[in-house]
Amino acid sequence: LCVPASGGLHIGKVTSIEANGREQETAKKGASVAIKVVNESNPTITYGRQFDSTHPLYSTLTRASIDALKLNFKDKLEPEDWRLVVKLKKVYNIL
């Protein structure tokens, strides 16, 4: 996960997602879930110090990850998922 508004601060990788006490593989927009985030390269990043609830969190996206989505998951992603990819391309200035 990344906080673009804080200079692209990389806060870590989502290692698990839970809803109603049960682990899930994914979460859709609007779902209320708990996530566990791990940042092994910078474990001192702390909620409330470097970022808080006023900072939108974004999945890190690169040209390579977009190409991998197209190659491996094109038929599995919904139109709403592709709209999110387009939005993230603008956030990260990806051509």
Side-chain angles (χ1 to χ4, degrees):
L1 290 177
C2 181
V3 183
S6 295
L9 175 67
H10 176 73
I11 63 166
K13 179 180 178 180
V14 175
T15 58
S16 67
I17 304 170
E18 285 189 12
N20 299 320
R22 295 179 185 210
E23 194 161 327
Q24 297 185 189
E25 288 291 318
T26 63
K28 290 290 186 179
K29 181 180 178 179
S32 181
V33 298
I35 60 171
K36 179 179 180 181
V37 179
V38 175
N39 187 333
E40 293 176 356
S41 65
N42 190 357
T44 63
I45 291 180
T46 307
Y47 177 82
R49 284 191 149 165
Q50 291 92 347
F51 72 101
D52 60 30
S53 63
T54 65
H55 296 92
L57 301 178
Y58 291 89
S59 294
T60 303
L61 192 74
T62 63
R63 166 51 55 197
S65 62
I66 294 170
D67 293 342
L69 283 172
K70 289 178 181 177
L71 181 65
N72 300 301
F73 300 99
K74 189 173 188 172
D75 57 338
K76 294 180 182 168
L77 295 176
E78 301 290 329
E80 182 177 355
D81 298 323
W82 288 114
R83 285 191 292 276
L84 177 59
V85 169
V86 170
K87 178 183 176 182
L88 291 174
K89 282 177 62 176
K90 292 175 184 173
V91 168
Y92 291 110
N93 296 317
I94 298 171
L95 300 177

